[in-house]
Amino acid sequence: STFKTWAKRLALSERSLARLMLRETGLTFGRWRQQLQLIIALRELASGVSVQNVAANLGYESVNAFITMFKKTMGSTPAHYFAERKTSAHLTDN
């Protein structure tokens, strides 16, 4: 959904919604939506959904665009991120 669509659904002007988002969350709508998408992506990837399907479900035009966003935000690609988590969990189990 676009920002304009959200504002219309909430019966607010785009400017009012922008101020409300920033006041209530400390984030712009774009940053808030990116954080939400990241939370959804992490949950889906952790449950075994493929990167391709997660990217498509979140509306990314390409898998590479999704991986770029993930890497920029999390510091590594989805594959490396979860490989690191597995290694850390394995090490702490011993």
Side-chain angles (χ1 to χ4, degrees):
S1 288
T2 65
F3 187 70
K4 188 175 189 172
T5 304
W6 279 83
K8 189 174 180 180
R9 282 185 191 162
L10 297 169
L12 293 171
S13 70
E14 290 178 54
R15 188 173 171 174
S16 293
L17 179 56
R19 281 195 307 263
L20 181 65
M21 285 292 302
L22 197 54
R23 187 178 73 225
E24 294 296 321
T25 67
L27 302 169
T28 64
F29 179 78
R31 286 291 293 150
W32 174 83
R33 186 172 63 185
Q34 185 181 36
Q35 293 295 317
L36 178 62
Q37 287 183 331
L38 192 59
I39 291 166
I40 292 167
L42 287 167
R43 186 189 68 209
E44 289 187 7
L45 292 167
S47 70
V49 178
S50 72
V51 172
Q52 290 79 5
N53 285 342
V54 171
N57 292 343
L58 293 176
Y60 280 84
E61 291 184 20
S62 71
V63 174
N64 286 342
F66 170 76
I67 291 171
T68 298
M69 178 281 297
F70 192 97
K71 187 174 183 179
K72 199 183 281 186
T73 308
M74 301 303 292
S76 62
T77 65
H80 284 119
Y81 179 84
F82 285 99
E84 291 167 4
R85 300 295 161 293
K86 266 186 195 164
T87 302
S88 295
H90 179 69
L91 292 175
T92 57
D93 286 344
N94 292 331

